[in-house]
Amino acid sequence: MAQEKEESQLKEIVAVCKRRGFVFPGSEIYGGLSNSFDYGPYGAELLQNLRKLWWEYFVQRREDVVGLDTSILLHPKVWEASGHVSNFSDPLMDCKSCKVRIRVDHFLEEKKGSAFIQGLTLKEMQKIIEEENYPCPNCGARGSFTEARNFNLMFRTQQGANEGGTIDLYLRPETAQGIFINFKNVYSTCRRKIPFGIAQIGKSFRNEIMARQFVFRTREFEQMEMEYFCEPGTQKEWFKHWVEYCMLFLTDVLGLKKENLRIREHTKEELSFYSEATSDIEYHFPFGWGELWGIASRTDYDLKQHEKFSGEDLKYVEQSNNKKYIPYVVEPALGLNRLFLAVISDAYGVEQLPDGETRTVLRFSTKTAPVKMGIFPLMKKEELVPKAREVFSILQTHWTCEYDDSGAIGKRYRRQDEIGTPFCITIDYQTLSDNTVTVRERDSMQQERVLIGNLKSYFIEKF
Ligand code: ATP
């Protein structure tokens, strides 16, 4: 029952996202491309706000972090060095009957629980699935699964037009490696001293076997990652610091509800081969708890590997005592699209109003809201429109505003509630005599009159 309710909430969120121009199905006029999404005008604004807030909090407000913007296509050796060519794969099997692809670990986890599957090899998982004679989740056929195998998640492509002169490349599956291969460039040109971090925002690509749950897991997505380079021996402290810092970003900067967030430490069996410790910040999505942010203590693995494969000396030299070492790294890695889904899920609500009507409302914080103010003339009348336009042009130079003069005022309020606009300003006949407007607050729906001349300072205080 609870699961049904959760699933129907996800459907409602997907419907609001489509209806109100946050997210559209990808390539829709051609019948759609599975698991691809396009962000509409309000979605694009929300993504921009999240990027901006993350960049401010992780780069601009920190003396010890700098930004970077590296290529999606990197030298193919990068992925050999990082271990992605040999290790970046998921266990897969097909149903011979309906040809659906199934991720073996997720399939068994759904049947037996996450504790059960920890540490199991591919062969062991396959044996259990055969013994239990589970049916295919898509067509119900039994005994129809192929042998389980590892499937590399990197997308391949080719560079170059000349026949024979092309090289095989991968679309990056994470932004982190672009940072590692530029470590020396950054620390030598920007005169950085350890400890310091390098952050970047950009697209990543993974050929996920079971891409699902709206924008939670897609094949093309955006990451906001930071590699924090520190002296060996200090990584535990920094790891703790960054887990707390990330949590504060979610609760204090974005205003996500604390009860929807939790920290989950990885067990030894779960840890990636390069990781000494990993904690996930999980969010309670409409379909249950899921990883939002992975914070990993990556040791000196990546820099060491790049030193080995490139032949470049990637050691850091401490100026004061000439001490030379490969730094350890702590990495907070966040998916922008998952954050987008968490922020919308957190904000989503349906309310019964005193007049018996219901309203859908997205309670975004003033920082994340795609549109900050809606500005309306009470009616589309000659006397009111120019005044409303005047107010719009005053406020639009400072905040993202929307002007709307069509339809009943109540409908215009509902529309702004559904896109999460925190304030609506209405210009009526009283405005013409005393220069005051009505400011309506989204959550309380309380209204107050404010002098046009005071609007700027009024909103500076509110924001
Ligand atoms: P998962 O276990 O869910 O596949 P992961 O542990 O492989 O995720 P990381 O490699 O740690 O993910 O990537 C860091 C972050 O990037 C994740 O916490 C998530 O927010 C985001 N992310 C990873 N894969 C995807 C995807 N396919 N679609 C959207 N976001 C993703």
Side-chain angles (χ1 to χ4, degrees), residues 206 208 216-218 221 223 291-294 333 335 338:
R206 296 181 187 179
E208 299 276 2
F216 178 81
R217 187 180 299 286
T218 49
F221 57 99
Q223 288 185 307
E291 174 182 335
L292 173 63
W293 208 329
R338 277 192 198 176

Side-chain angles (χ1 to χ4, degrees), residues 72 74-90 150-157 168-174 177 204-209 219 221:
I72 287 175
L74 304 178
H75 194 289
K77 272 203 166 168
V78 170
W79 307 110
E80 280 175 44
S82 65
H84 282 82
V85 171
S86 47
N87 289 308
F88 194 60
S89 53
D90 279 340
N150 279 317
F151 172 74
N152 194 294
L153 299 183
M154 283 196 291
F155 275 96
R156 282 163 196 269
T157 188
D168 290 334
L169 297 178
Y170 299 101
L171 302 187
R172 68 178 175 203
E174 62 175 29
Q177 298 304 325
S204 292
F205 302 81
R206 296 181 187 179
N207 202 359
E208 299 276 2
I209 297 164
R219 298 194 172 97
F221 57 99

Side-chain angles (χ1 to χ4, degrees), residues 151-364:
F151 172 74
N152 194 294
L153 299 183
M154 283 196 291
F155 275 96
R156 282 163 196 269
T157 188
Q158 280 191 331
Q159 176 169 288
N162 300 343
E163 202 150 314
T166 58
I167 55 167
D168 290 334
L169 297 178
Y170 299 101
L171 302 187
R172 68 178 175 203
E174 62 175 29
T175 60
Q177 298 304 325
I179 296 178
F180 290 123
I181 61 173
N182 279 288
F183 166 72
K184 200 173 169 185
N185 279 338
V186 174
Y187 111 70
S188 55
T189 56
C190 304
R191 302 171 61 234
R192 288 284 135 185
K193 288 206 180 96
I194 294 271
F196 75 92
I198 308 177
Q200 86 165 321
I201 300 179
K203 289 253 177 164
S204 292
F205 302 81
R206 296 181 187 179
N207 202 359
E208 299 276 2
I209 297 164
M210 294 270 275
R212 57 188 177 161
Q213 287 149 339
F214 195 33
V215 296
F216 178 81
R217 187 180 299 286
T218 49
R219 298 194 172 97
E220 172 180 344
F221 57 99
E222 204 165 323
Q223 288 185 307
M224 309 201 280
E225 297 196 292
M226 200 265 294
E227 308 304 316
Y228 197 76
F229 301 92
C230 60
E231 194 178 341
T234 63
Q235 72 273 17
K236 272 207 177 103
E237 257 168 72
W238 283 114
F239 181 74
K240 190 167 166 279
H241 167 82
W242 286 111
V243 172
E244 286 166 6
Y245 196 79
C246 293
M247 201 50 144
L248 278 180
F249 176 72
L250 297 171
T251 55
D252 292 21
V253 179
L254 302 187
L256 294 187
K257 295 184 189 103
K258 288 198 172 110
E259 66 268 24
N260 285 336
L261 291 162
R262 70 178 186 194
I263 295 172
R264 192 182 71 82
E265 276 176 38
H266 283 212
T267 59
K268 270 209 176 105
E269 291 76 26
E270 261 182 290
L271 286 177
S272 304
F273 59 93
Y274 54 75
S275 174
E276 181 175 81
T278 297
S279 284
D280 289 342
I281 299 183
E282 296 188 332
Y283 182 79
H284 194 244
F285 290 99
F287 43 81
W289 289 97
E291 174 182 335
L292 173 63
W293 208 329
I295 299 117
S297 187
R298 286 181 84 125
T299 66
D300 54 1
Y301 172 81
D302 300 271
L303 285 180
K304 260 195 178 152
Q305 285 294 99
H306 288 304
E307 194 173 72
K308 194 165 127 196
F309 277 69
S310 68
E312 279 278 329
D313 181 356
L314 297 181
K315 287 178 200 68
Y316 170 80
V317 186
E318 227 159 75
Q319 301 293 321
S320 56
N321 55 11
N322 266 345
K323 204 168 137 189
K324 214 174 169 193
Y325 58 87
I326 296 222
Y328 266 46
V329 173
V330 175
E331 172 200 76
L334 172 64
L336 175 61
N337 315 77
R338 277 192 198 176
L339 183 63
F340 176 97
L341 184 57
V343 168
I344 292 215
S345 308
D346 222 69
Y348 179 79
V350 179
E351 269 178 14
Q352 191 83 35
L353 299 177
D355 64 4
E357 277 200 32
T358 52
R359 70 162 181 164
T360 301
V361 57
L362 290 178
R363 286 195 200 85
F364 291 127

